[in-house]
Amino acid sequence: MSDALYRLVYYSRNLVAGGEQALRSNLESILEKSRINNGRDAITGALLFNSGCFAQVLEGPLQQLESAFERIQQDDRHGEVSLLALDPIAARSFPDWAMGYIGGSAEQSESFAAIGQNSGFDPARLNGEQLFELLKDLALQEEAAAA
Ligand code: FAD
């Protein structure tokens, strides 16, 4: 069996009803479940939430990535799930994150404010590479802030 690594990038639109509180608790359960499943499946990556949209990078073996994305697509907490990239990679960019969350802190919000101003953080205007680079930059800032 091949253990080649792949990277999957998608974005989607939030469908959680009920305001900030409901969104927060759904995000918590999504992250909790993701970290368990992704740890089991050798998947690493990062999830961004901003302005009503999710953007996620998942890295790992192809079969596990495809299974995870199948489940993610069927989740009715979001919609318009749009695959932007699924490419082979030489190495992981988020090796320590079973699923890192970006967008929670004020600093993080500020750091992508410029992108938000330009696009209303509309990930539909970004391609897979741009979205990946954005999440990677924000993840590096997050790690630097935590160090
Ligand atoms: P179970 O936890 O047993 O759930 C069974 C079913 O119930 C699933 O179809 C699930 O979608 C649904 N479900 C469970 N809780 C809720 C709820 N509170 N509201 C609505 N439906 C619910 N999963 C990963 O494994 N890795 C990821 O990286 C990942 N990222 C995600 C990112 C986003 C933006 C979203 C919305 C979901 C993400 N998920 C991720 C969750 C994924 O969609 C599935 O819910 C999860 O993988 C199902 O895990 P399970 O097979 O163990 O099913």
Side-chain angles (χ1 to χ4, degrees):
M1 196 180 76
S2 165
D3 54 3
L5 285 173
Y6 282 73
R7 173 181 304 131
L8 187 155
V9 183
Y10 78 88
Y11 74 89
S12 61
R13 298 201 185 271
N14 174 41
L15 292 181
V16 174
E20 190 66 27
Q21 189 67 37
L23 179 62
R24 198 180 298 269
S25 81
N26 272 281
L27 267 170
E28 276 169 20
S29 66
I30 288 167
L31 287 170
E32 193 182 344
K33 173 59 78 176
S34 299
R35 287 168 183 151
I36 293 168
N37 288 350
N38 296 352
R40 175 196 65 201
D41 296 339
I43 291 174
T44 47
L47 175 69
L48 169 67
F49 178 78
N50 192 246
S51 302
C53 292
F54 294 103
Q56 193 173 24
V57 176
L58 297 160
E59 297 177 338
L62 184 59
Q63 200 180 334
Q64 283 88 332
L65 275 189
E66 287 179 336
S67 301
F69 192 54
E70 275 294 312
R71 298 195 306 271
I72 290 169
Q73 281 177 289
Q74 286 163 19
D75 196 316
D76 58 11
R77 291 170 286 190
H78 63 169
E80 296 177 47
V81 180
S82 305
L83 180 65
L84 294 181
L86 177 56
D87 301 308
I89 51 170
R92 293 175 190 266
S93 292
F94 308 89
D96 303 324
W97 289 14
M99 189 42 58
Y101 177 60
I102 297 166
S105 71
E107 292 82 10
Q108 289 289 337
S109 297
E110 268 173 38
S111 60
F112 55 71
I115 292 160
Q117 275 160 14
N118 292 337
S119 67
F121 183 63
D122 185 352
R125 298 192 192 186
L126 301 174
N127 65 33
E129 188 62 27
Q130 290 168 319
L131 211 46
F132 161 67
E133 291 293 341
L134 170 65
L135 265 76
K136 196 174 68 168
D137 286 352
L138 293 171
L140 287 174
Q141 288 173 27
E142 184 97 359
E143 280 184 342

